[in-house]
Amino acid sequence: MKPEKQYPKEVYLNGKWLKPDEAFVPVFDRAFMFGDGVYEVTPFYKGKGFKLKEHLKRLQYSLDQIQITFNAFSLEELMLEAIDRAGLNNADAAVYIQVSRGAGPRSHFVPEKIETSILLYAFKVTLEGFEKKTWHVMASEDKRWHRCDIKSTALLANVMANEAAISAGFHENLLLRNGYFTEGSHSSLFFVKYGVVYTHPEGPEILSGITRAEVINICASLNIKVIEKAVHFDELVEVEEVFVTGTTTQIIPVSSITRHNKKVYITRKDSLTKKLQEVFIKRTRR
């Protein structure tokens, strides 16, 4: 069964705080027509932003890559205000930001006179208890575009991949490009072989995950070797542990991987993943 999602009580849209049913964008907004916009999600643990600067830096990177002139860091105070207005100062929450290029007559080229559109809101999420979870996942071909490093609102391929997984009773869909694992439909991906952690190198084939970077940082602090190298499907026979990471996913071990209705991986260990979870909890809850 799919989890229920609720609308926030209030959203910030282009200078105004509005109820969701009062917030409207023009039909010619380019994010609506083309997916011509970017977004970011930042976690707040008990009302405190985690890696807030890093999330805004990633948003700025996406803006720069698609040439939208906007200062992402100018949104920091609004993010804190959103948490406050939602009454989430002492709760686990997240802030969603979406920046659209704006509205203009429909054309593939960008109109010269166009005004950026900003959407922002806070919402409650459950961040506790992730260390008690385990995911059964599927694997399929990565059919996304070649700039996955841009956190674009054009997420149709991700949506289709995740819907395929959820509808089939899985938690996530791990994506393969030319036989090599890239990432999940909405998560970063790690493998453990002979005590060494492997993850796809940063670049256009994956999103630069903030939690991914924190996990690499934790590994360094624990003297755990990390190799940023793509793992091939055929290497699963050597893999001891698999885990995924994400802003609200945090760190969750993968119990099994199924491809073409055949189980191709069953976890052999979870000790290293558990160790990373313990340190992550200390860092986010301190």
Side-chain angles (χ1 to χ4, degrees):
M1 182 179 292
K2 298 178 181 179
E4 289 292 327
K5 295 285 186 177
Q6 295 182 335
Y7 292 111
K9 294 181 179 179
E10 190 177 38
V11 302
Y12 172 90
L13 179 64
N14 297 331
K16 296 180 181 179
W17 289 97
L18 303 163
K19 293 180 180 179
D21 58 0
E22 298 172 342
F24 298 97
V25 295
V27 293
F28 287 101
D29 186 284
R30 292 180 66 86
F32 172 68
M33 287 203 139
F34 296 109
D36 189 359
V38 295
Y39 75 101
E40 187 57 63
V41 182
T42 304
F44 282 71
Y45 292 82
K46 299 301 181 185
K48 305 296 182 184
F50 182 67
K51 300 292 180 180
L52 193 151
K53 301 289 187 185
E54 287 84 348
H55 280 278
L56 287 174
K57 183 178 179 181
R58 182 169 67 177
L59 176 59
Q60 189 65 59
Y61 171 82
S62 293
L63 288 164
D64 293 344
Q65 290 299 301
I66 67 170
Q67 299 178 328
I68 290 181
T69 303
F70 183 80
N71 180 12
F73 294 92
S74 68
L75 298 174
E76 183 172 350
E77 288 188 14
L78 272 175
M79 295 171 73
L80 301 178
E81 184 179 352
I83 291 291
D84 184 55
R85 293 176 71 99
L88 297 171
N89 290 302
N90 296 303
D92 289 348
V95 171
Y96 178 85
I97 301 169
Q98 180 172 306
V99 183
S100 163
R101 196 179 302 277
R106 188 184 187 281
S107 63
H108 283 68
F109 64 85
V110 179
E112 290 185 2
K113 294 181 179 180
I114 194 163
E115 189 172 340
T116 304
S117 179
I118 310 298
L119 169 67
L120 182 152
Y121 61 86
F123 59 101
K124 191 173 183 179
V125 292
T126 301
L127 296 174
E128 290 183 316
F130 71 91
E131 72 280 6
K132 299 174 184 177
K133 298 178 181 178
T134 183
W135 280 6
H136 298 277
V137 307
M138 63 177 285
S140 65
E141 292 303 310
D142 193 341
K143 298 179 180 179
R144 302 172 301 165
W145 73 324
H146 294 282
R147 289 303 307 275
C148 299
D149 55 315
I150 298 172
K151 204 165 173 65
S152 166
T153 58
L155 289 170
L156 181 58
N158 298 69
V159 168
M160 292 177 68
N162 193 244
E163 176 63 19
I166 300 302
S167 296
F170 297 102
H171 295 94
E172 173 61 303
N173 196 339
L174 306 186
L175 306 176
L176 290 153
R177 194 168 294 208
N178 299 319
Y180 289 90
F181 286 99
T182 51
E183 57 188 347
S185 69
H186 67 298
S187 60
S188 299
L189 180 59
F190 290 82
F191 299 88
V192 181
K193 295 196 302 177
Y194 309 112
V196 176
V197 175
Y198 290 80
T199 187
H200 197 290
E202 289 199 347
E205 292 183 329
I206 69 165
L207 179 69
S208 180
I210 306 301
T211 307
R212 173 188 178 277
E214 185 65 10
V215 165
I216 292 173
N217 181 275
I218 291 172
C219 285
S221 71
L222 297 174
N223 293 316
I224 297 171
K225 187 176 181 180
V226 176
I227 297 178
E228 295 189 61
K229 178 183 177 183
V231 170
H232 195 275
F233 178 81
D234 293 340
E235 296 177 64
L236 283 178
V237 293
E238 303 175 88
V239 171
E240 300 156 358
E241 302 178 49
V242 179
F243 62 91
V244 293
T245 66
T247 296
T248 56
T249 301
Q250 299 165 98
I251 305 172
I252 295 183
V254 170
S255 294
S256 67
I257 301 174
T258 297
R259 191 182 186 204
H260 301 319
N261 297 317
K262 179 182 178 182
K263 200 161 286 188
V264 294
Y265 166 84
I266 298 176
T267 186
R268 296 171 177 84
K269 295 181 181 179
D270 66 357
S271 54
L272 193 147
T273 306
K274 294 294 184 187
K275 191 179 296 184
L276 296 175
Q277 289 176 326
E278 290 169 5
V279 177
F280 186 81
I281 290 171
K282 290 179 181 178
R283 292 192 177 189
T284 53
R285 297 294 176 183
R286 64 189 175 188

